[in-house]
Amino acid sequence: MTLPSGFSPAARTGSAPLEVCLRRGSITESVHRVHAVVCDGRGRVLMSAGNPGLESFIRSALKPFQALPFLSSGTADQLDVDERGIAISCASHSGTNAHAREAFRLLWKAELDSASLQCPVPNGADSPLQHNCSGKHAAFLATSRKMGWPIETYLQNDHPLQVEVNRRVAELIGLPAEELVAERDDCGAPTLVFQLAQMALLYAHLGASQHAELEQISRAMLSHPDLVAGEGRFDTELMRRSHGQVLSKGGAEGIQCLSRVGEGLGVAIKVEDGSRRAKQAVALHLLRQLEWLTPMGLDELDEQVLVVNPSVKLSVSGALQS
C-alpha cells in the first residue's frame, strides 16, 4: 500500500517515537514505544513522532467512516434517526441498557430483529445488543434493508454495503478502493490496514466541516459522547471536556485518533505493543503540546489516566516534531 502524492512521511521518519513509562514508586516497570502523527486535510504530515508510514489496522477508529453509507443512502433520513442514533452507529460502547436501547431503536425503525445482528453475544450478556459494536451492526443492517441488499451476508467483504464503505474511505484518502486491505475485526465486520498518516488524514476530514455527512457524524459524536463509549471511558470523558473542539475515537491494539473540529487537523496514535493505557497517556501528552484542551480539562484526565494508584503512575517522554 502506498500513500497518495500529498503525503510525505519519508522526510519525517527520523524523529524518535514517544515513550510511555510505568513506574512503581521510583522503579520503571514497563516501557511502551508509541508512534504519532498530525495531518491536515490535504494529507500533509505537519508533525510526527516515530514513523508516520507505520502500517496497522485502524480497528474501531474506522467506525465513524463505516457509518457513511447509513447517511449517504438516505437510510437515516428515511427512518427519522436523530443524533443519538448516529452516535451509537459510531460507538464502541459499554453495553449498558441505554446503549443497547439505542441500537435496538435503529433495528426497530428498520423493522428488523436483534436476531439479525451478527456481532457476538458478550460473555455474561444475554443479547448481541450488548456487544460494543451493536450500533454499527444495526446501522449496517438498516442500510442493507433500505437498499434491498442481502441481510444475511452484510459482513462479507464483497457485500454491496462493505464495498460502499471501502469506496468512500478510499475516496477520502486518495487511493483506489481495490488497494485497501481488509481483515475481520473481533465483531466480525471488516477492518482496514492504513499507514498512520492515512488514519490522521481521515480524522482531519472528520473534523473539517467540509463534508456534510462527516459533519453530521462529528456533531452527533460530540453531542452524545456518552453513547460513543460510556461513563468513565476515555473517549467520552475527553470529548466532554473539549467543549465541542476535539473528537476522540479509539481502537483496539493501541490505536487512538483525534480530530480538531473546524480546523481540519487529525491525529493518529499507534502503540507498538497495543497498550490501551499508553495510547491514552500519549493522547493527553499530545493534546497538551498542541494546546487543544484546557489545562483544567487535561489535569482532570491526567488524574484518571496517568495515576494507576498512589504508587503506580504513567509518564510520557518525547514530543511531536515538525
Side-chain angles (χ1 to χ4, degrees), residues 81-153:
V81 172
D82 59 14
E83 287 187 342
R84 294 179 64 84
I86 296 172
I88 202 70
S89 74
C90 304
S92 297
H93 61 71
S94 300
T96 67
N97 289 339
H99 293 121
R101 278 196 300 269
E102 289 298 332
F104 174 78
R105 188 172 285 117
L106 294 184
L107 295 172
W108 181 79
K109 285 174 176 285
E111 299 182 350
L112 290 160
D113 188 85
S114 61
S116 298
L117 293 169
Q118 293 182 25
C119 51
V121 178
N123 291 335
D126 303 315
S127 166
L129 288 166
Q130 295 164 280
H131 190 277
N132 76 89
C133 301
S134 64
K136 174 181 75 176
H137 284 250
F140 281 169
L141 284 164
T143 304
S144 296
R145 168 60 63 86
K146 192 264 183 186
M147 298 300 293
W149 296 332
I151 297 298
E152 299 77 13
T153 57

Side-chain angles (χ1 to χ4, degrees), residues 26-320:
S26 61
I27 305 298
T28 297
E29 188 170 14
S30 300
V31 178
H32 310 279
R33 285 166 46 94
V34 187
H35 302 262
V37 60
V38 182
C39 281
D40 66 10
R42 294 174 59 186
R44 294 177 297 189
V45 175
L46 305 181
M47 306 175 78
S48 65
N51 182 9
L54 181 71
E55 290 191 348
S56 181
F57 289 103
I58 190 171
R59 302 299 297 271
S60 285
L62 184 61
K63 286 178 178 175
F65 308 94
Q66 290 173 308
L68 280 169
F70 183 49
L71 298 177
S72 62
S73 67
T75 303
D77 283 341
Q78 183 184 74
L79 300 179
D80 195 26
V81 172
D82 59 14
E83 287 187 342
R84 294 179 64 84
I86 296 172
I88 202 70
S89 74
C90 304
S92 297
H93 61 71
S94 300
T96 67
N97 289 339
H99 293 121
R101 278 196 300 269
E102 289 298 332
F104 174 78
R105 188 172 285 117
L106 294 184
L107 295 172
W108 181 79
K109 285 174 176 285
E111 299 182 350
L112 290 160
D113 188 85
S114 61
S116 298
L117 293 169
Q118 293 182 25
C119 51
V121 178
N123 291 335
D126 303 315
S127 166
L129 288 166
Q130 295 164 280
H131 190 277
N132 76 89
C133 301
S134 64
K136 174 181 75 176
H137 284 250
F140 281 169
L141 284 164
T143 304
S144 296
R145 168 60 63 86
K146 192 264 183 186
M147 298 300 293
W149 296 332
I151 297 298
E152 299 77 13
T153 57
Y154 75 94
L155 295 181
Q156 297 303 308
N157 288 350
D158 60 354
H159 189 277
L161 172 72
Q162 304 303 339
V163 171
E164 179 62 8
V165 169
N166 288 357
R167 185 189 73 79
R168 295 299 302 271
V169 169
E171 185 178 75
L172 288 169
I173 62 173
L175 282 179
E178 56 269 21
E179 291 190 18
L180 297 178
V181 177
E183 292 291 349
R184 296 283 130 213
D185 210 330
D186 293 347
C187 70
T191 190
L192 300 172
V193 175
F194 294 114
Q195 294 186 9
L196 205 56
Q198 292 171 318
M199 298 184 204
L201 173 57
L202 285 174
Y203 274 77
H205 286 311
L206 185 57
S209 302
Q210 294 179 351
H211 303 79
E213 292 141 4
L214 288 177
E215 186 173 14
Q216 271 186 277
I217 289 167
S218 174
R219 186 169 60 246
M221 293 174 70
L222 288 166
S223 297
H224 302 283
D226 56 309
L227 295 177
V228 176
E231 293 297 324
R233 299 271 302 280
F234 183 76
D235 290 331
T236 294
E237 299 305 328
L238 192 161
M239 287 192 283
R240 280 176 170 167
R241 289 164 173 79
S242 78
H243 304 288
Q245 300 302 303
V246 180
L247 189 146
S248 177
K249 184 72 190 74
E253 295 302 319
I255 292 293
Q256 186 69 44
C257 295
L258 307 166
S259 291
R260 174 64 166 172
V261 177
E263 294 189 12
L265 298 175
V267 174
I269 296 163
K270 168 65 180 179
V271 184
E272 287 185 3
D273 64 10
S275 168
R276 177 188 296 177
R277 68 190 182 198
K279 72 176 184 180
Q280 295 173 354
V282 165
L284 298 182
H285 184 73
L286 300 187
L287 287 167
R288 181 169 272 109
Q289 181 182 349
L290 295 168
E291 299 182 344
W292 286 5
L293 224 60
T294 66
M296 180 180 296
L298 284 166
D299 288 345
E300 291 172 355
L301 291 168
D302 281 350
E303 187 67 25
Q304 177 180 318
V305 171
L306 302 183
V307 181
V308 180
N309 64 50
S311 63
V312 180
K313 298 180 181 181
L314 296 168
S315 63
V316 183
S317 59
L320 294 165

